[in-house]
Amino acid sequence: MMIEQKHLALIDEAMRRGDPSTGNLRLCFEVLSLAAAIDRDCAARLSPHNLSEGKFVLLFLLHQLPDGLSPHELADRAGVTRATVTGLLDGLERDGFLARRQSKEDRRKVQVELSPKGKDAARALFETHTRWIASLFAGLDENDRETLSALLHRAWRNTDAGRKAALETADGEATQ
């Protein structure tokens, strides 16, 4: 069954109560179950390389940058806190994927650069990982993908994050 066991009890109770929104609950739990399955598969594919998704993202961000980035720039680009990026960088450095170096322009600053091992891993994993991700939706044609994307965006607009983004967009347009 696609829906995870933990969600079935909620659906069963909603059905027992005759809740008219049971179909919407089921659909939400299907999306959550799909996302959880993708996360588990992603972790399983990266773990043999001693990588998490967060570490992989940092490798990818550094992949095309021979001069590297500062830890705070990496945190901003990865969308994580500076504390989180520090922990990820510590693990990547310990495993030989990268090195921290003093900036050439300002010796008080640190730049993070991939090691040869990190460059090789980033190059190889980017290709295999993106092919795997793309394969998840291989049975969908262009129209299917556009329809699914539009439906997901409609649902996203009902989330707190979606409402906040809509307000920010409206506020930005109002000030122009």
PDB file of all heavy atoms in Angstrom, residues 50-51 55 86-100 115 117:
ATOM      1  N   ASN A  50      29.044   7.386   2.089  1.00  0.00           N
ATOM      2  CA  ASN A  50      29.203   8.087   3.357  1.00  0.00           C
ATOM      3  C   ASN A  50      28.672   9.520   3.275  1.00  0.00           C
ATOM      4  O   ASN A  50      29.258  10.442   3.824  1.00  0.00           O
ATOM      5  CB  ASN A  50      30.665   8.059   3.829  1.00  0.00           C
ATOM      6  CG  ASN A  50      30.774   8.151   5.326  1.00  0.00           C
ATOM      7  OD1 ASN A  50      29.836   7.850   6.055  1.00  0.00           O
ATOM      8  ND2 ASN A  50      31.925   8.601   5.806  1.00  0.00           N
ATOM      9  N   LEU A  51      27.565   9.668   2.551  1.00  0.00           N
ATOM     10  CA  LEU A  51      26.961  10.985   2.353  1.00  0.00           C
ATOM     11  C   LEU A  51      25.501  10.973   2.768  1.00  0.00           C
ATOM     12  O   LEU A  51      24.813   9.966   2.614  1.00  0.00           O
ATOM     13  CB  LEU A  51      27.041  11.403   0.882  1.00  0.00           C
ATOM     14  CG  LEU A  51      28.416  11.668   0.301  1.00  0.00           C
ATOM     15  CD1 LEU A  51      28.332  11.867  -1.203  1.00  0.00           C
ATOM     16  CD2 LEU A  51      29.051  12.875   0.968  1.00  0.00           C
ATOM     17  N   LYS A  55      24.975  16.665   2.877  1.00  0.00           N
ATOM     18  CA  LYS A  55      26.377  16.653   2.440  1.00  0.00           C
ATOM     19  C   LYS A  55      26.462  16.645   0.920  1.00  0.00           C
ATOM     20  O   LYS A  55      27.309  17.334   0.326  1.00  0.00           O
ATOM     21  CB  LYS A  55      27.102  15.436   3.011  1.00  0.00           C
ATOM     22  CG  LYS A  55      27.353  15.517   4.494  1.00  0.00           C
ATOM     23  CD  LYS A  55      28.039  14.246   4.985  1.00  0.00           C
ATOM     24  CE  LYS A  55      28.303  14.278   6.463  1.00  0.00           C
ATOM     25  NZ  LYS A  55      28.920  13.009   6.930  1.00  0.00           N
ATOM     26  N   THR A  86      28.120  23.941   9.419  1.00  0.00           N
ATOM     27  CA  THR A  86      29.377  23.624  10.103  1.00  0.00           C
ATOM     28  C   THR A  86      29.477  22.130  10.373  1.00  0.00           C
ATOM     29  O   THR A  86      30.512  21.502  10.113  1.00  0.00           O
ATOM     30  CB  THR A  86      29.502  24.423  11.419  1.00  0.00           C
ATOM     31  OG1 THR A  86      29.528  25.813  11.090  1.00  0.00           O
ATOM     32  CG2 THR A  86      30.764  24.057  12.176  1.00  0.00           C
ATOM     33  N   GLY A  87      28.397  21.532  10.859  1.00  0.00           N
ATOM     34  CA  GLY A  87      28.396  20.098  11.115  1.00  0.00           C
ATOM     35  C   GLY A  87      28.577  19.285   9.841  1.00  0.00           C
ATOM     36  O   GLY A  87      29.326  18.297   9.819  1.00  0.00           O
ATOM     37  N   LEU A  88      27.907  19.697   8.767  1.00  0.00           N
ATOM     38  CA  LEU A  88      28.047  18.997   7.492  1.00  0.00           C
ATOM     39  C   LEU A  88      29.480  19.114   6.964  1.00  0.00           C
ATOM     40  O   LEU A  88      30.063  18.131   6.482  1.00  0.00           O
ATOM     41  CB  LEU A  88      27.059  19.556   6.467  1.00  0.00           C
ATOM     42  CG  LEU A  88      25.578  19.322   6.754  1.00  0.00           C
ATOM     43  CD1 LEU A  88      24.712  20.125   5.795  1.00  0.00           C
ATOM     44  CD2 LEU A  88      25.242  17.848   6.687  1.00  0.00           C
ATOM     45  N   LEU A  89      30.049  20.313   7.055  1.00  0.00           N
ATOM     46  CA  LEU A  89      31.419  20.525   6.589  1.00  0.00           C
ATOM     47  C   LEU A  89      32.411  19.719   7.420  1.00  0.00           C
ATOM     48  O   LEU A  89      33.371  19.159   6.857  1.00  0.00           O
ATOM     49  CB  LEU A  89      31.779  22.009   6.627  1.00  0.00           C
ATOM     50  CG  LEU A  89      31.036  22.907   5.634  1.00  0.00           C
ATOM     51  CD1 LEU A  89      31.385  24.364   5.877  1.00  0.00           C
ATOM     52  CD2 LEU A  89      31.322  22.500   4.201  1.00  0.00           C
ATOM     53  N   ASP A  90      32.193  19.645   8.726  1.00  0.00           N
ATOM     54  CA  ASP A  90      33.083  18.841   9.572  1.00  0.00           C
ATOM     55  C   ASP A  90      33.111  17.391   9.100  1.00  0.00           C
ATOM     56  O   ASP A  90      34.180  16.788   8.979  1.00  0.00           O
ATOM     57  CB  ASP A  90      32.640  18.897  11.036  1.00  0.00           C
ATOM     58  CG  ASP A  90      32.895  20.240  11.697  1.00  0.00           C
ATOM     59  OD1 ASP A  90      33.645  21.068  11.126  1.00  0.00           O
ATOM     60  OD2 ASP A  90      32.334  20.460  12.796  1.00  0.00           O
ATOM     61  N   GLY A  91      31.935  16.834   8.815  1.00  0.00           N
ATOM     62  CA  GLY A  91      31.865  15.453   8.348  1.00  0.00           C
ATOM     63  C   GLY A  91      32.506  15.271   6.983  1.00  0.00           C
ATOM     64  O   GLY A  91      33.245  14.296   6.753  1.00  0.00           O
ATOM     65  N   LEU A  92      32.255  16.195   6.073  1.00  0.00           N
ATOM     66  CA  LEU A  92      32.852  16.100   4.732  1.00  0.00           C
ATOM     67  C   LEU A  92      34.373  16.231   4.781  1.00  0.00           C
ATOM     68  O   LEU A  92      35.087  15.537   4.062  1.00  0.00           O
ATOM     69  CB  LEU A  92      32.249  17.170   3.811  1.00  0.00           C
ATOM     70  CG  LEU A  92      30.825  16.917   3.349  1.00  0.00           C
ATOM     71  CD1 LEU A  92      30.228  18.178   2.724  1.00  0.00           C
ATOM     72  CD2 LEU A  92      30.776  15.752   2.369  1.00  0.00           C
ATOM     73  N   GLU A  93      34.852  17.111   5.643  1.00  0.00           N
ATOM     74  CA  GLU A  93      36.297  17.284   5.779  1.00  0.00           C
ATOM     75  C   GLU A  93      36.925  16.036   6.406  1.00  0.00           C
ATOM     76  O   GLU A  93      37.948  15.541   5.923  1.00  0.00           O
ATOM     77  CB  GLU A  93      36.600  18.520   6.626  1.00  0.00           C
ATOM     78  CG  GLU A  93      38.082  18.865   6.689  1.00  0.00           C
ATOM     79  CD  GLU A  93      38.330  20.180   7.392  1.00  0.00           C
ATOM     80  OE1 GLU A  93      37.603  20.513   8.355  1.00  0.00           O
ATOM     81  OE2 GLU A  93      39.260  20.894   6.978  1.00  0.00           O
ATOM     82  N   ARG A  94      36.292  15.508   7.440  1.00  0.00           N
ATOM     83  CA  ARG A  94      36.786  14.299   8.100  1.00  0.00           C
ATOM     84  C   ARG A  94      36.885  13.130   7.111  1.00  0.00           C
ATOM     85  O   ARG A  94      37.819  12.332   7.157  1.00  0.00           O
ATOM     86  CB  ARG A  94      35.856  13.923   9.260  1.00  0.00           C
ATOM     87  CG  ARG A  94      36.278  12.685  10.027  1.00  0.00           C
ATOM     88  CD  ARG A  94      35.231  12.238  11.040  1.00  0.00           C
ATOM     89  NE  ARG A  94      33.973  11.896  10.371  1.00  0.00           N
ATOM     90  CZ  ARG A  94      32.813  12.513  10.554  1.00  0.00           C
ATOM     91  NH1 ARG A  94      32.708  13.511  11.398  1.00  0.00           N
ATOM     92  NH2 ARG A  94      31.736  12.143   9.902  1.00  0.00           N
ATOM     93  N   ASP A  95      35.919  13.042   6.185  1.00  0.00           N
ATOM     94  CA  ASP A  95      35.897  11.948   5.215  1.00  0.00           C
ATOM     95  C   ASP A  95      36.702  12.233   3.953  1.00  0.00           C
ATOM     96  O   ASP A  95      36.681  11.437   3.009  1.00  0.00           O
ATOM     97  CB  ASP A  95      34.451  11.617   4.850  1.00  0.00           C
ATOM     98  CG  ASP A  95      33.679  11.058   6.040  1.00  0.00           C
ATOM     99  OD1 ASP A  95      34.310  10.506   6.965  1.00  0.00           O
ATOM    100  OD2 ASP A  95      32.437  11.188   6.050  1.00  0.00           O
ATOM    101  N   GLY A  96      37.396  13.367   3.919  1.00  0.00           N
ATOM    102  CA  GLY A  96      38.305  13.662   2.816  1.00  0.00           C
ATOM    103  C   GLY A  96      37.671  14.251   1.571  1.00  0.00           C
ATOM    104  O   GLY A  96      38.308  14.297   0.519  1.00  0.00           O
ATOM    105  N   PHE A  97      36.432  14.738   1.670  1.00  0.00           N
ATOM    106  CA  PHE A  97      35.758  15.306   0.507  1.00  0.00           C
ATOM    107  C   PHE A  97      36.109  16.767   0.263  1.00  0.00           C
ATOM    108  O   PHE A  97      35.918  17.272  -0.839  1.00  0.00           O
ATOM    109  CB  PHE A  97      34.233  15.196   0.649  1.00  0.00           C
ATOM    110  CG  PHE A  97      33.712  13.792   0.508  1.00  0.00           C
ATOM    111  CD1 PHE A  97      33.299  13.085   1.628  1.00  0.00           C
ATOM    112  CD2 PHE A  97      33.628  13.184  -0.726  1.00  0.00           C
ATOM    113  CE1 PHE A  97      32.810  11.799   1.514  1.00  0.00           C
ATOM    114  CE2 PHE A  97      33.147  11.896  -0.857  1.00  0.00           C
ATOM    115  CZ  PHE A  97      32.734  11.196   0.270  1.00  0.00           C
ATOM    116  N   LEU A  98      36.577  17.461   1.294  1.00  0.00           N
ATOM    117  CA  LEU A  98      36.863  18.883   1.124  1.00  0.00           C
ATOM    118  C   LEU A  98      37.922  19.335   2.109  1.00  0.00           C
ATOM    119  O   LEU A  98      38.331  18.593   2.997  1.00  0.00           O
ATOM    120  CB  LEU A  98      35.582  19.725   1.283  1.00  0.00           C
ATOM    121  CG  LEU A  98      34.813  19.646   2.600  1.00  0.00           C
ATOM    122  CD1 LEU A  98      35.435  20.501   3.689  1.00  0.00           C
ATOM    123  CD2 LEU A  98      33.389  20.081   2.348  1.00  0.00           C
ATOM    124  N   ALA A  99      38.362  20.567   1.898  1.00  0.00           N
ATOM    125  CA  ALA A  99      39.328  21.191   2.810  1.00  0.00           C
ATOM    126  C   ALA A  99      38.901  22.632   3.031  1.00  0.00           C
ATOM    127  O   ALA A  99      38.331  23.273   2.145  1.00  0.00           O
ATOM    128  CB  ALA A  99      40.729  21.145   2.216  1.00  0.00           C
ATOM    129  N   ARG A 100      39.180  23.124   4.226  1.00  0.00           N
ATOM    130  CA  ARG A 100      38.969  24.534   4.541  1.00  0.00           C
ATOM    131  C   ARG A 100      40.315  25.231   4.391  1.00  0.00           C
ATOM    132  O   ARG A 100      41.328  24.752   4.888  1.00  0.00           O
ATOM    133  CB  ARG A 100      38.444  24.686   5.968  1.00  0.00           C
ATOM    134  CG  ARG A 100      37.039  24.171   6.178  1.00  0.00           C
ATOM    135  CD  ARG A 100      36.694  24.285   7.653  1.00  0.00           C
ATOM    136  NE  ARG A 100      35.305  24.040   7.951  1.00  0.00           N
ATOM    137  CZ  ARG A 100      34.878  23.001   8.656  1.00  0.00           C
ATOM    138  NH1 ARG A 100      35.721  22.109   9.127  1.00  0.00           N
ATOM    139  NH2 ARG A 100      33.593  22.861   8.901  1.00  0.00           N
ATOM    140  N   SER A 115      38.164  18.560  -2.338  1.00  0.00           N
ATOM    141  CA  SER A 115      39.402  17.819  -2.569  1.00  0.00           C
ATOM    142  C   SER A 115      39.230  17.057  -3.881  1.00  0.00           C
ATOM    143  O   SER A 115      38.121  16.994  -4.441  1.00  0.00           O
ATOM    144  CB  SER A 115      39.619  16.823  -1.428  1.00  0.00           C
ATOM    145  OG  SER A 115      38.596  15.829  -1.477  1.00  0.00           O
ATOM    146  N   LYS A 117      39.049  13.903  -4.184  1.00  0.00           N
ATOM    147  CA  LYS A 117      38.024  12.895  -3.875  1.00  0.00           C
ATOM    148  C   LYS A 117      36.631  13.515  -3.928  1.00  0.00           C
ATOM    149  O   LYS A 117      35.690  12.915  -4.452  1.00  0.00           O
ATOM    150  CB  LYS A 117      38.276  12.305  -2.480  1.00  0.00           C
ATOM    151  CG  LYS A 117      37.215  11.332  -2.014  1.00  0.00           C
ATOM    152  CD  LYS A 117      37.491  10.837  -0.601  1.00  0.00           C
ATOM    153  CE  LYS A 117      36.378   9.931  -0.092  1.00  0.00           C
ATOM    154  NZ  LYS A 117      36.658   9.414   1.251  1.00  0.00           N
TER     155      LYS A 117
END
